[in-house]
Amino acid sequence: MTNSTLDLPKRPWRQRYHVAAIGWTLVLGVLLVLSSLMTGANLGTFLSNIDQFLALLVQMSHPAWSYLHVILQPLYETIQMAILGTTIGAVLAVPFALLAASNLVGNRLLRGLIRFFLDLVRTLPDLLLAAIFVAVFGIGSTAGVITLAIFSFGMVSKLFYEVIETIDMGPLEALKSVGATKVTMIWYAVLPQILNQFVSYFLYTLEINVRASTVLGYLGAGGIGVYLQRSLGEFNYSATAVIILATLVVVLVIDGISNHLRRVLL
Amino acid sequence: MQATATAPIIAFHHVNKIYANGTVGLKDIDFQIPRGQFLVVVGLSGAGKSTLLRTINRMHEISSGEIRIDDAPIGAYKGKALRQLRCHIGMIFQNFNLVNRASVERNVLSGLVGYYPTWKCILGLFSAADKQRAVQALKRVSLTPKIFTRADELSGGQQQRVAIARTLMQDPKIILADEPVASLDPRTTKDVMDTLQRLNREDGITVIVNLHSVALARQYADRIIGLRAGELVYDQPIDNVTTADLDRIYQTN
Ligand SMILES: Nc1ncnc2c1ncn2[C@@H]1O[C@H](COP(=O)(O)OP(=O)(O)OP(=O)(O)O)[C@@H](O)[C@H]1O
Ligand SMILES: [Mg+2]
């Protein structure tokens, strides 16, 4: 009798020999080799050019610190761009996220349309957006802010509606039962449940955007990236080094602050 | 003796409810609830108790038949009229359904949102008189010291009393309570049931409670009805109720 409780069901042979795991590893290996053959990427070229790479590193190891005061203003601009773009994107994302959440919107067609639109926005590469908006608005931070706003909107709206779908529906039911309107229900029963996670995702997106905005600037979308491109174009690698180091510090500080805030919030 | 004194506050006329997936929720329910009654609904899990309760404030729609409240059919209400109907019907839940991250005060005030325009609710512009009423409501459930505490810092019994205070803000003529004590210990169960009884006796509120406990049903009810598989299989004033009757409702066949 006691023995029978220990009788576990037999694992099928597929599970016992890890067929799936081994299979996928092989498939991935083959894909890796094939794709490197097809794109012509090979380790040889990288190794044969390593001396050029080393020369660049030597120059960069003598940062021109006097350049620092030139880039403080554009660094500041980069941070502003990131904050502004993230805020615009996140605020716009809230109503869309509410409409995309399956526990709030019963109408499948509406929800489907909203989600399709959000998916579409998310597929737009940020570099492409930046190139387009620089062409439209000219070189400067306007193009950067709009690009970051759209990029944040796409990313945050999905994170937001996934959070909304995990909320406790009890308070909503209670608010409905006292005769609340839809908007009041959301304000009283949904927002308090998701606010902390919203802020957390906002900060996370801000982190990503500070990094992204340095790259966008490279395309002329304002901020520090413009200077990065200029210094590289002039082979002024000691200035490049300053820009990279300064950017690194800014990114680290922003990451630190946002990590701290998120820990406090959750 | 007068005709109006016996006019029912709620009347079910051959009500059927079939869920979208084909499950029968209610089957030909036909009975009346007099004003001021303390009615207890008993029945096995899945018998349709929650469904019955939720048709009264139209949280669930019925498939056929008619429900009248104060002699007015409620089936056709839409939008504002529906919200107004719900304004006057309090609802208490097994899981309290408070907004955990909000203060007790805000939870209590949320019972009023049906009476205010949306923009005032959002800005929290409740009148001073109503804020005073919130304090009074908390006093009635003996929770005034907790007014600024976050709801999730309270015990289960305290949370349920906050939920009752929220309902009091509605100034309801009917309170629907769906297994209000199922997740509470015996002492807090008594607290909550006594509070409901006081509201019934002192304020004349009609109270309808779903209960799983036969002992509680016998202790508090004026009248007990029993459901089985969506059908009303038992209906007696408390003086006629016997233990054998109740045991039969809970028999599984
Ligand atoms: N949304 C729904 N969709 C489909 N069927 C449902 C739904 N809600 C309830 N039911 C079914 O309707 C029947 C009655 O359910 P109801 O919740 O009213 O029972 P109950 O008496 O309250 O049970 P319990 O004591 O477990 O709360 C059950 O068979 C249940 O599975
Ligand atoms: Mg139930």
Side-chain angles (χ1 to χ4, degrees):
Chain A
M1 264 333 225
T2 52
N3 229 351
S4 67
T5 58
L6 288 174
D7 272 347
L8 295 175
K10 277 219 163 66
R11 289 201 291 180
W13 69 271
R14 276 172 44 114
Q15 262 183 34
R16 224 173 322 149
Y17 299 108
H18 307 285
V19 174
I22 293 171
W24 281 115
T25 311
L26 286 177
V27 169
L28 281 180
V30 170
L31 282 177
L32 195 65
V33 171
L34 279 179
S35 60
S36 79
L37 286 179
M38 276 159 63
T39 55
N42 93 46
L43 211 54
T45 0
F46 177 71
L47 289 176
S48 63
N49 287 331
I50 200 132
D51 51 334
Q52 279 178 39
F53 184 64
L54 287 177
L56 190 146
L57 276 187
V58 168
Q59 272 195 55
M60 283 182 68
S61 63
H62 303 285
W65 292 116
S66 57
Y67 196 62
L68 199 57
H69 77 274
V70 181
I71 61 166
L72 281 184
Q73 172 59 29
L75 256 184
Y76 184 58
E77 193 185 51
T78 297
I79 299 171
Q80 280 180 320
M81 271 167 54
I83 292 178
L84 202 58
T86 315
T87 309
I88 295 172
V91 168
L92 288 179
V94 173
F96 283 87
L98 289 168
L99 289 175
S102 60
N103 53 349
L104 297 187
V105 175
N107 187 336
R108 278 193 192 189
L109 184 69
L110 174 64
R111 186 154 38 93
L113 280 176
I114 298 272
R115 284 196 183 195
F116 178 71
F117 170 69
L118 295 179
D119 287 343
L120 212 63
V121 173
R122 247 193 331 279
T123 57
L124 300 171
D126 47 348
L127 290 179
L128 177 70
L129 286 174
I132 291 172
F133 289 123
V134 166
V136 174
F137 295 100
I139 290 182
S141 51
T142 311
V145 168
I146 295 176
T147 304
L148 290 176
I150 294 176
F151 172 72
S152 317
F153 172 82
M155 174 164 148
V156 159
S157 53
K158 184 175 169 84
L159 293 171
F160 278 9
Y161 78 66
E162 281 175 353
V163 169
I164 295 172
E165 287 184 342
T166 66
I167 64 165
D168 172 14
M169 295 300 281
L172 265 168
E173 194 187 13
L175 261 292
K176 188 176 175 191
S177 81
V178 303
T181 60
K182 274 256 151 71
V183 174
T184 310
M185 279 163 65
I186 287 168
W187 192 263
Y188 275 76
V190 180
L191 288 190
Q193 292 194 61
I194 54 178
L195 206 58
N196 280 5
Q197 271 163 299
F198 271 21
V199 174
S200 165
Y201 280 136
F202 171 84
L203 291 168
Y204 174 64
T205 312
L206 180 66
E207 270 178 57
I208 294 178
N209 279 352
V210 170
R211 266 168 276 164
S213 63
T214 62
V215 179
L216 295 186
Y218 200 88
L219 293 174
I224 190 73
V226 176
Y227 289 74
L228 184 67
Q229 186 207 24
R230 192 177 300 162
S231 70
L232 282 171
E234 294 164 352
F235 304 108
N236 188 357
Y237 294 131
S238 45
T240 310
V242 175
I243 293 173
I244 289 175
L245 287 175
T247 309
L248 198 65
V249 169
V250 168
V251 168
L252 281 177
V253 169
I254 299 261
D255 277 13
I257 294 174
S258 104
N259 275 332
H260 174 73
L261 285 179
R262 280 195 284 155
R263 243 199 320 277
V264 172
L265 279 174
L266 291 184
Chain B
M1 289 300 125
Q2 301 146 316
T4 49
T6 54
I9 187 166
I10 302 168
F12 282 74
H13 295 295
H14 301 288
V15 170
N16 288 285
K17 161 80 182 173
I18 297 165
Y19 282 103
N21 62 5
T23 312
V24 176
L26 298 175
K27 197 164 160 193
D28 199 31
I29 300 287
D30 196 90
F31 76 114
Q32 301 182 342
I33 305 170
R35 190 179 308 278
Q37 189 163 65
F38 197 115
L39 177 72
V40 170
V41 185
V42 297
L44 285 169
S45 188
K49 304 183 296 294
S50 300
T51 310
L52 180 80
L53 222 57
R54 281 170 169 70
T55 56
I56 296 173
N57 60 354
R58 292 264 312 272
M59 299 291 278
H60 281 340
E61 300 297 342
I62 59 178
S63 312
S64 68
E66 185 182 67
I67 298 175
R68 286 172 171 261
I69 294 183
D70 279 331
D71 214 27
I74 62 169
Y77 290 158
K78 280 202 183 88
K80 190 155 186 195
L82 180 57
R83 290 199 301 276
Q84 240 148 25
L85 169 80
R86 289 177 179 155
C87 266
H88 298 288
I89 303 178
M91 190 159 208
I92 313 254
F93 307 85
Q94 176 178 351
N95 302 318
F96 327 130
N97 289 358
L98 302 180
V99 181
N100 281 330
R101 289 168 181 274
S103 70
V104 165
E105 184 188 35
R106 191 171 167 85
N107 271 291
V108 174
L109 284 170
S110 76
L112 276 177
V113 296
Y115 290 97
Y116 277 82
T118 300
W119 68 273
K120 279 198 173 176
C121 294
I122 285 176
L123 298 176
L125 295 177
F126 298 103
S127 71
D130 277 337
K131 285 195 176 152
Q132 199 49 47
R133 277 185 58 213
V135 176
Q136 292 303 325
L138 279 171
K139 197 179 252 168
R140 288 199 72 180
V141 296
S142 319
L143 275 178
T144 1
K146 300 286 186 193
I147 183 162
F148 300 121
T149 311
R150 254 175 64 151
D152 55 3
E153 288 168 10
L154 300 179
S155 72
Q158 289 172 328
Q159 291 196 28
Q160 194 60 296
R161 274 145 63 201
V162 172
I164 292 176
R166 170 176 66 193
T167 295
L168 279 178
M169 296 306 283
Q170 290 176 255
D171 193 15
K173 44 187 188 180
I174 301 166
I175 290 181
L176 310 171
D178 193 3
E179 294 178 34
V181 293
S183 43
L184 302 180
D185 65 47
R187 242 214 66 188
T188 42
T189 290
K190 184 169 158 36
D191 272 2
V192 167
M193 290 305 297
D194 284 350
T195 310
L196 287 175
Q197 187 172 56
R198 244 184 312 120
L199 297 179
N200 172 250
R201 294 198 177 152
E202 292 172 11
D203 302 29
I205 300 173
T206 307
V207 176
I208 306 168
V209 189
N210 289 349
L211 285 177
H212 265 306
S213 153
V214 168
L216 280 180
R218 299 196 67 174
Q219 188 182 345
Y220 289 94
D222 294 335
R223 169 187 178 192
I224 295 181
I225 64 172
L227 293 181
R228 188 190 287 159
E231 278 185 281
L232 191 70
V233 294
Y234 187 77
D235 183 358
Q236 289 294 331
I238 192 67
D239 294 334
N240 298 352
V241 175
T242 66
T243 310
D245 288 345
L246 294 176
D247 286 347
R248 216 170 310 126
I249 299 170
Y250 280 98
Q251 260 164 18
T252 49
N253 51 39

